[in-house]
Amino acid sequence: MGEINFRSRGIGDAPAIHIFQRKAVFAMKLWAGRFQKETDTLVNDFNSSIGFDARLYEQDIRGSIAHAAMLGRQGIIEEHEAEKIMEGLKAILADIEADQVEFSLDNEDIHMNIEELLTQRIGDTGKRLHTARSRNDQVATDFRLYVKEEIPHIIGLILDLQKVLVKKARAHLHTVMPGYTHLQRAQPTTFGHCMMAYANMLRRDVTRLEDCLERMDECPLGAGALATSTYPVDRFQTAAALGFRKPTDNSMDSVSDRDYAIELLSALSILMMHLSRFSEEIILWCSWEFRFVELDDAYSTGSSIMPQKKNPDVAELVRGKTGRVYGSLVTLLTVMKALPLAYNKDMQEDKEPVFDAIDTVELCVPVFTAMLDTLAVKEKNMARAASGGFINATDCADYLVKKGLPFREAYMIVGRLVNMCIRSGESLDTLPLKDFRAISSLFDEDVYDALQLKTCVNGRSVYGGPSADSVAHQIEQIEKFIEERAQTDET
Ligand code: ARG
């Protein structure tokens, strides 16, 4: 019968939630009228969600205040009763935030805990709050409010990461590095181009989140258990009071829809997939084999046994935590699969995966951003890895094409050149002109300039390409994207 204490949001910005596990061996329920026996304690604990849904206390109270105000305005309860309820709810909120409230497992979930507290505090008037409402529309409303409020926060974190990417890209417009396909050196690019690749992925992540936010902006309150009610409730009033665009259109759908949570989890899974790919890249780049980057000491760890080690734990953990977020998505998809209309208790399983995914993302993105911001780029090592090999072989073929040869023929000639170089231990940029000419008389002294990595990169000034001008344009686009969001924040 001990006390469970936890913070309702992992990062210390919320009051501690106290839950007393059990007050009696049997619990007297709100629904006791229908029953001849009390709930078995095992079932009581099994059924209870207060251990994790307590974090919805603020949304629950806000939803109840909007509902009570509407009940009063519509004459469903007396205005003075609505006032009393609203005052009582505000006092409960203040007490929770001041760490003064204990929740009970016997009251199952956050909704019944708050209702029970209200009635204890204001007496019978508290019992009028649940008129024309069910926990089914209540939980659907609370959860939507919660998810709706977390999304802008997550978007803000992604925009911060994009800002760091833009900063790195701008500093490395001319930092040549090998671009890979199949993890084999393919064509030269720049570190800036590479950073902007990730900035573009993150732009899609932001718009996916905005898109799901837009779709979820409808209020289920007033849907009741599944079929609304016979009271003259005004769902438009409560929707507006809670900041929703409009009420949901079908009450059965309203109480059983968790698409918004699945969409969020899917957007977060894709975001984590991007961070995991980026992490993998950083892990490779900081290996002694690549040595393209060096992590700041503050963002890496040592080994307890091997004194030389500097480990990319942050990147590895972000890569690893991606699995948790995918897990949450699959959990909720599976929970929802084959559920008939309308509410089913299975749906109580929606919260933990969503909370865990949100917490994980809110933990990963800022630490990843800081790690990237402090990462040192080893330009010389990147340049060395890009030169002395055949990364400019396509450019060599393009050189011949510019002199009139069809690409396929040029490709064959350069293939033979590469083969020759491999056998003689040369590279294309050191091969003597006479050897070039032995294979094609179209080669001239200017081939060496054409094969310079900077020429190869800056020659690729196609829209989206790696040339400094193209990447500068990509930077402008992302900056504009970030700027537009900063403006909507201010309005
Ligand atoms: N704790 C429940 C949930 O999270 C609230 C809704 C319960 N509704 C019900 N009819 N049992 O889903």
Side-chain angles (χ1 to χ4, degrees):
M1 322 233 165
E3 190 187 1
I4 311 171
N5 292 326
F6 65 96
R7 301 234 151 238
S8 66
R9 295 184 32 160
I11 336 230
D13 58 350
I17 303 291
H18 308 287
I19 298 164
F20 270 85
Q21 275 194 307
R22 204 176 296 129
K23 293 213 166 100
V25 177
F26 289 104
M28 183 69 162
K29 295 296 186 191
L30 271 176
W31 54 77
R34 160 77 175 77
F35 289 78
Q36 293 188 339
K37 275 188 180 174
E38 277 110 351
T39 314
D40 181 274
T41 51
L42 258 184
V43 174
N44 190 52
D45 296 357
F46 180 64
N47 222 14
S48 161
S49 55
I50 185 67
F52 50 85
D53 66 17
R55 86 155 80 182
L56 296 176
Y57 70 86
E58 196 273 333
Q59 289 78 8
D60 192 71
I61 291 176
R62 194 147 32 103
S64 290
I65 289 176
H67 181 68
M70 183 278 295
L71 291 178
R73 232 171 285 135
Q74 295 298 103
I76 300 170
I77 62 175
E78 301 287 330
E79 282 278 6
H80 68 91
E81 291 172 323
E83 283 300 328
K84 196 168 171 187
I85 290 173
M86 290 191 280
E87 288 315 309
L89 288 167
K90 285 181 199 154
I92 293 172
L93 178 62
D95 287 351
I96 296 174
E97 308 221 292
D99 237 347
Q100 303 290 310
V101 172
E102 264 169 28
F103 294 123
S104 158
L105 269 187
D106 295 340
N107 291 326
E108 197 174 312
D109 54 24
I110 187 63
H111 325 291
M112 298 215 293
N113 265 279
I114 288 178
E115 196 186 328
E116 177 68 18
L117 277 170
L118 182 70
T119 306
Q120 277 168 17
R121 289 177 177 210
I122 69 166
D124 281 353
T125 309
K127 296 182 184 167
R128 297 200 184 272
L129 169 62
H130 212 53
T131 317
R133 186 178 74 167
S134 151
R135 272 186 300 154
N136 299 352
D137 59 340
Q138 194 179 352
V139 72
T141 306
D142 296 1
F143 199 36
R144 244 185 229 236
L145 281 173
Y146 181 87
V147 167
K148 224 182 118 198
E149 286 155 9
E150 288 303 317
I151 290 178
H153 179 54
I154 295 172
I155 289 178
L157 297 176
I158 303 175
L159 296 176
D160 287 345
L161 174 52
Q162 281 189 313
K163 286 180 201 157
V164 170
L165 284 165
V166 161
K167 188 167 91 180
K168 290 268 175 216
R170 199 189 296 290
H172 293 285
L173 283 178
H174 302 282
T175 304
V176 174
M177 70 181 287
Y180 298 83
T181 63
H182 314 267
L183 215 51
Q184 303 286 322
R185 290 174 191 170
Q187 290 178 345
T189 181
T190 65
F191 190 67
H193 193 216
C194 204
M195 292 300 99
M196 293 316 291
Y198 285 103
N200 274 273
M201 295 180 212
L202 295 174
R203 176 169 54 186
R204 292 194 294 275
D205 290 323
V206 168
T207 55
R208 246 187 296 276
L209 287 167
E210 289 172 344
D211 185 41
C212 100
L213 189 57
E214 165 81 18
R215 208 172 2 264
M216 74 174 67
D217 196 13
E218 298 183 353
C219 185
L221 195 58
L226 75 164
T228 70
S229 65
T230 53
Y231 301 96
V233 293
D234 183 348
R235 295 191 56 210
F236 287 86
Q237 233 183 77
T238 43
L242 292 170
F244 287 99
R245 201 176 58 233
K246 63 186 272 297
T248 47
D249 285 339
N250 176 290
S251 65
M252 290 185 90
D253 179 43
S254 311
V255 291
S256 62
D257 169 30
R258 295 294 181 271
D259 291 5
Y260 57 95
I262 296 174
E263 279 190 42
L264 170 67
L265 290 176
S266 117
L268 295 184
S269 294
I270 299 174
L271 165 68
M272 288 303 290
M273 180 267 288
H274 291 149
L275 293 190
S276 172
R277 291 180 63 185
F278 203 170
S279 295
E280 170 67 15
E281 200 107 73
I282 289 173
I283 292 162
L284 280 174
W285 288 342
C286 70
S287 72
W288 213 244
E289 283 68 20
F290 277 80
R291 286 212 267 173
F292 284 2
V293 298
E294 186 176 351
L295 294 174
D296 191 85
D297 282 359
Y299 291 91
S300 36
T301 52
S303 152
S304 61
I305 173 170
M306 297 166 280
Q308 84 285 11
K309 290 296 285 290
K310 184 166 176 184
N311 293 331
D313 284 21
V314 170
E316 289 172 298
L317 265 179
V318 168
R319 189 176 58 181
K321 284 178 187 289
T322 302
R324 289 172 77 129
V325 178
Y326 289 7
S328 294
L329 171 63
V330 174
T331 300
L332 192 51
L333 279 171
T334 315
V335 165
M336 294 305 293
K337 175 182 174 293
L339 287 190
L341 285 172
Y343 177 83
N344 299 271
K345 187 77 173 196
D346 315 43
M347 291 161 81
Q348 182 167 283
E349 289 294 307
D350 58 357
K351 284 163 213 73
E352 286 164 293
V354 169
F355 293 158
D356 191 72
I358 290 174
D359 290 348
T360 303
V361 165
E362 291 182 356
L363 206 60
C364 287
V365 180
V367 73
F368 189 92
T369 302
M371 174 187 66
L372 185 70
D373 198 19
T374 53
L375 167 140
V377 177
K378 304 284 179 196
E379 304 175 21
K380 287 207 181 88
N381 294 345
M382 287 184 177
R384 200 173 308 123
S387 37
F390 308 102
I391 206 160
N392 43 10
T394 318
D395 299 85
C396 191
D398 291 342
Y399 169 90
L400 293 175
V401 169
K402 282 173 198 147
K403 299 227 164 174
L405 268 194
F407 181 76
R408 273 287 156 245
E409 275 176 42
Y411 173 98
M412 279 301 275
I413 290 173
V414 177
R416 279 163 55 205
L417 271 174
V418 168
N419 195 351
M420 200 171 91
C421 287
I422 290 172
R423 276 187 280 123
S424 63
E426 298 276 3
S427 74
L428 284 176
D429 14 51
T430 57
L431 192 73
L433 187 58
K434 66 170 179 24
D435 293 337
F436 274 110
R437 293 184 66 90
I439 292 196
S440 168
S441 58
L442 289 173
F443 283 115
D444 247 317
E445 203 50 62
D446 58 352
V447 70
Y448 296 107
D449 182 48
L451 291 181
Q452 271 196 23
L453 296 186
K454 286 215 182 317
T455 317
C456 303
V457 166
N458 284 324
R460 289 176 160 79
S461 54
V462 176
Y463 187 86
S467 79
D469 286 348
S470 299
V471 175
H473 182 64
Q474 293 162 40
I475 291 177
E476 270 168 41
Q477 288 172 314
I478 295 293
E479 278 180 329
K480 189 161 160 261
F481 178 81
I482 298 171
E483 184 52 31
E484 282 162 5
R485 270 131 199 98
Q487 277 164 7
T488 42
D489 260 9
E490 280 156 23
T491 53

